[in-house]
Short mmCIF file of all heavy atoms in Angstrom, two decimals:
data_model
loop_
_atom_site.label_atom_id
_atom_site.label_comp_id
_atom_site.label_asym_id
_atom_site.label_seq_id
_atom_site.Cartn_x
_atom_site.Cartn_y
_atom_site.Cartn_z
N LEU G 1 18.63 4.29 18.49
CA LEU G 1 17.44 3.44 18.54
C LEU G 1 16.25 4.23 18.05
O LEU G 1 15.43 3.71 17.29
CB LEU G 1 17.18 3.00 19.94
CG LEU G 1 15.96 2.11 20.20
CD1 LEU G 1 16.05 0.89 19.34
CD2 LEU G 1 15.87 1.80 21.61
N ARG G 2 16.11 5.53 18.37
CA ARG G 2 15.00 6.39 17.95
C ARG G 2 15.08 6.52 16.40
O ARG G 2 14.04 6.49 15.72
CB ARG G 2 15.02 7.72 18.61
CG ARG G 2 13.86 8.59 18.27
CD ARG G 2 13.96 9.96 18.91
NE ARG G 2 13.85 9.87 20.39
CZ ARG G 2 14.79 10.06 21.29
NH1 ARG G 2 16.03 10.44 20.83
NH2 ARG G 2 14.61 9.96 22.56
N LYS G 3 16.25 6.68 15.84
CA LYS G 3 16.39 6.91 14.41
C LYS G 3 16.07 5.65 13.65
O LYS G 3 15.40 5.68 12.64
CB LYS G 3 17.83 7.33 14.10
CG LYS G 3 18.08 7.66 12.61
CD LYS G 3 19.46 8.12 12.38
CE LYS G 3 19.74 8.40 10.88
NZ LYS G 3 21.17 8.87 10.65
N ALA G 4 16.46 4.46 14.18
CA ALA G 4 16.19 3.21 13.48
C ALA G 4 14.69 2.88 13.57
O ALA G 4 14.15 2.37 12.59
CB ALA G 4 17.01 2.10 14.15
N ALA G 5 14.04 3.19 14.68
CA ALA G 5 12.59 2.91 14.83
C ALA G 5 11.81 3.75 13.90
O ALA G 5 10.81 3.29 13.32
CB ALA G 5 12.17 3.06 16.25
N ALA G 6 12.14 5.02 13.76
CA ALA G 6 11.39 5.97 12.88
C ALA G 6 9.89 6.01 13.15
O ALA G 6 9.03 5.96 12.26
CB ALA G 6 11.63 5.59 11.38
N LEU G 7 9.58 6.06 14.49
CA LEU G 7 8.15 6.16 14.87
C LEU G 7 7.86 7.62 15.25
O LEU G 7 8.75 8.34 15.77
CB LEU G 7 7.90 5.24 16.09
CG LEU G 7 8.05 3.75 15.86
CD1 LEU G 7 7.93 3.00 17.17
CD2 LEU G 7 7.10 3.27 14.82
N THR G 8 6.65 8.03 14.96
CA THR G 8 6.22 9.38 15.26
C THR G 8 5.00 9.37 16.11
O THR G 8 4.05 8.52 15.88
CB THR G 8 5.95 10.19 13.98
OG1 THR G 8 4.92 9.50 13.21
CG2 THR G 8 7.21 10.32 13.16
N PRO G 9 4.87 10.26 17.08
CA PRO G 9 3.61 10.29 17.88
C PRO G 9 2.43 10.58 17.07
O PRO G 9 2.43 11.40 16.15
CB PRO G 9 3.93 11.39 18.90
CG PRO G 9 5.42 11.57 18.89
CD PRO G 9 5.87 11.24 17.52
N GLY G 10 1.28 9.95 17.40
CA GLY G 10 0.10 10.14 16.67
C GLY G 10 -0.19 9.30 15.46
O GLY G 10 -1.31 9.30 14.90
N GLN G 11 0.79 8.54 15.06
CA GLN G 11 0.56 7.67 13.88
C GLN G 11 -0.30 6.51 14.23
O GLN G 11 -0.44 6.13 15.42
CB GLN G 11 1.89 7.24 13.25
CG GLN G 11 2.64 6.18 14.03
CD GLN G 11 3.93 5.76 13.35
OE1 GLN G 11 5.02 6.18 13.72
NE2 GLN G 11 3.78 4.90 12.33
N ASP G 12 -0.92 5.90 13.22
CA ASP G 12 -1.84 4.79 13.44
C ASP G 12 -1.08 3.59 14.00
O ASP G 12 -0.14 3.03 13.37
CB ASP G 12 -2.48 4.42 12.10
CG ASP G 12 -3.49 3.25 12.25
OD1 ASP G 12 -3.91 2.99 13.38
OD2 ASP G 12 -3.89 2.76 11.19
N VAL G 13 -1.50 3.13 15.20
CA VAL G 13 -0.83 1.99 15.80
C VAL G 13 -1.04 0.73 14.97
O VAL G 13 -0.13 -0.04 14.80
CB VAL G 13 -1.38 1.78 17.26
CG1 VAL G 13 -0.86 0.48 17.86
CG2 VAL G 13 -1.01 2.98 18.13
N MET G 14 -2.22 0.60 14.43
CA MET G 14 -2.51 -0.63 13.63
C MET G 14 -1.74 -0.65 12.28
O MET G 14 -1.62 -1.64 11.65
CB MET G 14 -3.98 -0.76 13.36
CG MET G 14 -4.85 -0.96 14.65
SD MET G 14 -4.36 -2.38 15.62
CE MET G 14 -4.72 -3.69 14.42
N GLY G 15 -1.33 0.52 11.88
CA GLY G 15 -0.65 0.65 10.60
C GLY G 15 0.88 0.46 10.67
O GLY G 15 1.55 0.49 9.68
N ILE G 16 1.40 0.22 11.89
CA ILE G 16 2.85 0.14 12.03
C ILE G 16 3.26 -1.29 11.58
O ILE G 16 2.70 -2.30 11.98
CB ILE G 16 3.25 0.35 13.52
CG1 ILE G 16 2.92 1.74 13.95
CG2 ILE G 16 4.70 0.05 13.75
CD1 ILE G 16 3.19 2.03 15.40
N ASP G 17 4.30 -1.37 10.72
CA ASP G 17 4.88 -2.61 10.21
C ASP G 17 5.80 -3.14 11.24
O ASP G 17 6.92 -2.71 11.34
CB ASP G 17 5.54 -2.33 8.88
CG ASP G 17 6.12 -3.63 8.28
OD1 ASP G 17 5.80 -4.73 8.83
OD2 ASP G 17 6.93 -3.57 7.34
N LEU G 18 5.31 -4.13 12.07
CA LEU G 18 6.12 -4.65 13.18
C LEU G 18 7.41 -5.35 12.64
O LEU G 18 8.46 -5.26 13.25
CB LEU G 18 5.31 -5.52 14.06
CG LEU G 18 4.12 -4.90 14.77
CD1 LEU G 18 3.49 -5.87 15.71
CD2 LEU G 18 4.54 -3.61 15.53
N ALA G 19 7.20 -6.15 11.54
CA ALA G 19 8.32 -6.89 10.97
C ALA G 19 9.42 -5.98 10.44
O ALA G 19 10.60 -6.15 10.72
CB ALA G 19 7.83 -7.81 9.89
N GLY G 20 9.02 -4.88 9.72
CA GLY G 20 9.96 -3.93 9.25
C GLY G 20 10.64 -3.17 10.37
O GLY G 20 11.83 -2.90 10.33
N LEU G 21 9.90 -2.82 11.39
CA LEU G 21 10.49 -2.14 12.56
C LEU G 21 11.51 -3.01 13.21
O LEU G 21 12.58 -2.57 13.63
CB LEU G 21 9.31 -1.77 13.57
CG LEU G 21 9.77 -1.11 14.87
CD1 LEU G 21 10.54 0.13 14.66
CD2 LEU G 21 8.52 -0.92 15.72
N SER G 22 11.22 -4.30 13.37
CA SER G 22 12.16 -5.22 14.00
C SER G 22 13.44 -5.34 13.17
O SER G 22 14.56 -5.37 13.70
CB SER G 22 11.50 -6.62 14.15
OG SER G 22 12.42 -7.56 14.62
N GLU G 23 13.33 -5.39 11.84
CA GLU G 23 14.54 -5.55 10.96
C GLU G 23 15.39 -4.29 11.07
O GLU G 23 16.62 -4.38 11.05
CB GLU G 23 14.09 -5.77 9.53
CG GLU G 23 13.49 -7.16 9.31
CD GLU G 23 14.46 -8.23 9.63
OE1 GLU G 23 15.71 -8.07 9.36
OE2 GLU G 23 14.08 -9.32 10.13
N ARG G 24 14.74 -3.15 11.18
CA ARG G 24 15.53 -1.87 11.25
C ARG G 24 16.35 -1.83 12.60
O ARG G 24 17.49 -1.39 12.58
CB ARG G 24 14.61 -0.66 11.13
CG ARG G 24 13.99 -0.49 9.75
CD ARG G 24 13.39 0.87 9.60
NE ARG G 24 12.44 1.25 10.56
CZ ARG G 24 11.09 0.95 10.48
NH1 ARG G 24 10.67 0.27 9.44
NH2 ARG G 24 10.27 1.29 11.44
N ILE G 25 15.71 -2.21 13.65
CA ILE G 25 16.37 -2.12 14.95
C ILE G 25 17.44 -3.18 15.02
O ILE G 25 18.52 -2.96 15.64
CB ILE G 25 15.35 -2.33 16.12
CG1 ILE G 25 14.33 -1.21 16.09
CG2 ILE G 25 16.00 -2.45 17.44
CD1 ILE G 25 13.25 -1.31 17.08
N LYS G 26 17.27 -4.35 14.35
CA LYS G 26 18.26 -5.44 14.39
C LYS G 26 19.59 -4.99 13.68
O LYS G 26 20.59 -5.66 13.93
CB LYS G 26 17.71 -6.67 13.69
CG LYS G 26 18.41 -7.95 14.01
CD LYS G 26 17.82 -9.13 13.37
CE LYS G 26 16.40 -9.38 13.85
NZ LYS G 26 15.81 -10.57 13.27
N THR G 27 19.57 -3.92 12.89
CA THR G 27 20.82 -3.54 12.24
C THR G 27 21.74 -2.74 13.11
O THR G 27 22.91 -2.50 12.80
CB THR G 27 20.46 -2.64 11.04
OG1 THR G 27 19.71 -1.46 11.45
CG2 THR G 27 19.62 -3.41 9.99
N LEU G 28 21.24 -2.34 14.32
CA LEU G 28 22.11 -1.65 15.27
C LEU G 28 23.17 -2.56 15.80
O LEU G 28 22.92 -3.77 16.06
CB LEU G 28 21.23 -1.10 16.46
CG LEU G 28 20.17 -0.14 16.03
CD1 LEU G 28 19.31 0.32 17.25
CD2 LEU G 28 20.78 1.15 15.42
N PRO G 29 24.41 -2.09 15.94
CA PRO G 29 25.52 -2.98 16.28
C PRO G 29 25.42 -3.76 17.58
O PRO G 29 25.92 -4.88 17.64
CB PRO G 29 26.74 -2.03 16.33
CG PRO G 29 26.15 -0.69 16.54
CD PRO G 29 24.82 -0.68 15.87
N TRP G 30 24.81 -3.20 18.64
CA TRP G 30 24.76 -3.85 19.91
C TRP G 30 23.61 -4.87 20.00
O TRP G 30 23.56 -5.71 20.89
CB TRP G 30 24.61 -2.88 21.02
CG TRP G 30 25.91 -2.25 21.52
CD1 TRP G 30 26.32 -0.99 21.39
CD2 TRP G 30 26.97 -2.97 22.21
NE1 TRP G 30 27.55 -0.78 21.93
CE2 TRP G 30 27.96 -2.00 22.42
CE3 TRP G 30 27.15 -4.28 22.59
CZ2 TRP G 30 29.19 -2.28 23.09
CZ3 TRP G 30 28.36 -4.58 23.26
CH2 TRP G 30 29.33 -3.62 23.50
N VAL G 31 22.65 -4.81 19.05
CA VAL G 31 21.45 -5.59 19.13
C VAL G 31 21.72 -6.96 18.58
O VAL G 31 22.14 -7.15 17.42
CB VAL G 31 20.30 -4.91 18.37
CG1 VAL G 31 19.05 -5.82 18.37
CG2 VAL G 31 19.98 -3.57 19.01
N SER G 32 21.47 -8.03 19.41
CA SER G 32 21.58 -9.39 19.01
C SER G 32 20.27 -9.97 18.51
O SER G 32 20.16 -10.66 17.49
CB SER G 32 22.14 -10.28 20.14
OG SER G 32 22.09 -11.67 19.82
N ARG G 33 19.14 -9.62 19.24
CA ARG G 33 17.81 -10.09 18.91
C ARG G 33 16.82 -9.10 19.37
O ARG G 33 17.04 -8.36 20.36
CB ARG G 33 17.56 -11.46 19.56
CG ARG G 33 16.24 -12.14 19.13
CD ARG G 33 16.26 -13.57 19.50
NE ARG G 33 16.19 -13.78 20.95
CZ ARG G 33 15.04 -13.95 21.64
NH1 ARG G 33 13.89 -13.99 20.98
NH2 ARG G 33 15.10 -14.12 22.95
N VAL G 34 15.69 -8.98 18.68
CA VAL G 34 14.65 -8.00 19.06
C VAL G 34 13.27 -8.58 18.77
O VAL G 34 13.10 -9.33 17.77
CB VAL G 34 14.86 -6.67 18.22
CG1 VAL G 34 14.82 -6.94 16.74
CG2 VAL G 34 13.86 -5.63 18.59
#
């Protein structure tokens, strides 16, 4: 999950692409919806 999210402490919260983050996490085998 940490590798798929690819988030780092201190980065701009407003600059995080929520749609892209959701798509990356959805590729994990156990995840049905996110």
Side-chain angles (χ1 to χ4, degrees):
L1 181 59
R2 184 182 293 113
K3 183 177 179 180
L7 297 174
T8 56
Q11 72 179 103
D12 181 15
V13 172
M14 299 301 297
I16 297 176
D17 181 10
L18 298 185
L21 176 58
S22 177
E23 290 298 325
R24 292 196 303 272
I25 296 177
K26 197 180 296 184
T27 60
L28 298 175
W30 277 112
V31 177
S32 174
R33 189 164 67 94
V34 60

